[in-house]
Amino acid sequence: MATSGSSDFSVTRDEIVKAAYRKLGVIRATQTPNAQLINDGAQALNAMVKHWQGKGIHVWTTSEATLFPQPGQVKYALSNASGSDHATQSYVATEIATAAADGASSIVVDSITGISDGDYIGVVVDDGSVHWTTVNGAPAGSTITLTDALDDSAGIDNKVYAYTSKIVRPLRIVDARWVDALTGYENPSISMIARLDYQRLPTKTQAGSVVSMFYDPQLTTGYAYLWHVPNPFEGFVNFTWHRPIEDFDAAGDNPDLPQEWIQTLIFNLAVVLAPEFDVPPQKLSTIAALAAQYLDDMEGWDREEEPVCFGPDLGP
């Protein structure tokens, strides 16, 4: 018996929409929905997936990111919008190889590996802050040209961080750890706290070791609040977050869901679209039952393996 040797089956946005209409009997197998039907189906598909996102269906979107804090800064804007703070899923780190003066428009580093034109670049300067700008042109040799000149001197071995893309607005931040910049030691010392717990802190600008984070997911930008506020640069925050499920923008877009969800997408989209068409009640009942079963199956599967701990009942 010969098998395909592949396991990459997927469908596109328009294939999902067409299959949903076919289940309802709106089109036949040999027909293609017109532009209006495709547009309506795509809109309904996106709305449905965003609803699922609100239900917490996103184990595959659980991601890791790094926030680079500034001394004395309490609040950090997390999104990929212009002007947001510096949080990314992937970065490279190097160090200053030749001391740079205040006002220098280029730096010499130990390694330019992984650093490209247009990347965000942060240089830890001698006052303990991080000077953020972008890379201006492709690095040459060990030299990086900066879009904005340094606002303080940077000594030999000062840290330099570079990355390409900021994260989008997190739906949630579920865990955070402090990373020592010198040793790389990741300390699970940061507690995620609720809004009221943060508001009850008596001095929100008190400097010290970061031990708490509150995350406020606003409409287009999320805001992370650190307490204590960071000292002059000592390290950064690694955190676990839930990213939004990506939209179906174009006809050929594949789902930002595992392939196990394809049947669930098709049948549940058919149920969402059904009120707009004269679907026989018995047929709709069958489709709805299958849609509910498929969704229940996937919600049960969309879980991480976690230990279950039991302890003795010691009484009052």
Side-chain angles (χ1 to χ4, degrees), residues 70 100-105 123-133 146 148-154:
Q70 288 282 24
D102 183 359
S105 59
V123 182
V124 179
V125 292
D126 290 341
D127 69 0
S129 65
V130 185
H131 175 80
W132 284 102
T133 181
L146 308 175
D148 298 315
L150 294 180
D151 54 10
D152 191 13
S153 57

Side-chain angles (χ1 to χ4, degrees), residues 32-290:
T32 299
N34 62 34
Q36 186 62 54
L37 286 175
I38 288 290
N39 182 71
D40 293 347
Q43 186 177 61
L45 177 61
N46 276 301
M48 180 183 74
V49 170
K50 295 305 177 184
H51 174 70
W52 288 352
Q53 180 175 282
K55 288 164 61 71
I57 298 174
H58 43 51
V59 68
W60 62 91
T61 67
T62 300
S63 305
E64 302 298 323
T66 298
L67 169 65
F68 294 97
Q70 288 282 24
Q73 183 174 334
V74 174
K75 180 180 178 181
Y76 297 83
L78 303 184
S79 78
N80 58 0
S82 175
S84 60
D85 287 293
H86 296 278
T88 183
Q89 288 188 259
S90 178
Y91 67 90
V92 296
T94 185
E95 295 179 347
I96 294 287
T98 302
D102 183 359
S105 59
S106 64
I107 55 174
V108 179
V109 296
D110 291 343
S111 172
I112 61 170
T113 300
I115 302 176
S116 302
D117 179 28
D119 282 356
Y120 295 98
I121 185 165
V123 182
V124 179
V125 292
D126 290 341
D127 69 0
S129 65
V130 185
H131 175 80
W132 284 102
T133 181
T134 55
V135 178
N136 188 357
S142 299
T143 300
I144 299 173
T145 302
L146 308 175
T147 301
D148 298 315
L150 294 180
D151 54 10
D152 191 13
S153 57
I156 294 174
D157 294 336
N158 281 22
K159 296 291 186 180
V160 177
Y161 301 97
Y163 68 93
T164 301
S165 302
K166 297 181 179 183
I167 62 170
V168 298
R169 177 187 71 98
L171 298 175
R172 290 182 179 177
I173 295 178
V174 297
D175 182 64
R177 291 86 58 197
W178 179 258
V179 181
D180 186 288
L182 293 178
T183 65
Y185 179 74
E186 190 167 357
N187 189 340
S189 58
I190 301 177
S191 300
M192 297 302 303
I193 60 175
R195 182 187 301 272
L196 291 181
D197 293 326
Y198 178 76
Q199 296 300 340
R200 288 169 179 160
L201 294 172
T203 308
K204 297 177 177 61
T205 57
Q206 181 178 341
S209 299
V210 179
V211 296
S212 299
M213 176 190 283
F214 159 57
Y215 179 63
D216 182 18
Q218 290 296 307
L219 188 61
T220 58
T221 299
Y223 295 95
Y225 296 78
L226 300 183
W227 190 83
H228 306 93
V229 298
N231 290 314
F233 187 81
E234 297 173 328
F236 40 87
V237 178
N238 281 351
F239 61 92
T240 304
W241 62 296
H242 293 164
R243 67 167 176 82
I245 300 173
E246 294 180 12
D247 300 337
F248 292 89
D249 288 334
D253 286 348
N254 300 122
D256 183 27
L257 294 92
Q259 59 189 175
E260 291 83 4
W261 283 80
I262 292 173
Q263 194 82 299
T264 306
L265 284 166
I266 292 169
F267 273 83
N268 280 269
L269 179 59
V271 173
V272 169
L273 292 170
E276 300 183 32
F277 302 96
D278 186 18
V279 182
Q282 185 174 357
K283 173 181 279 193
L284 180 56
S285 177
T286 300
I287 294 171
L290 287 169

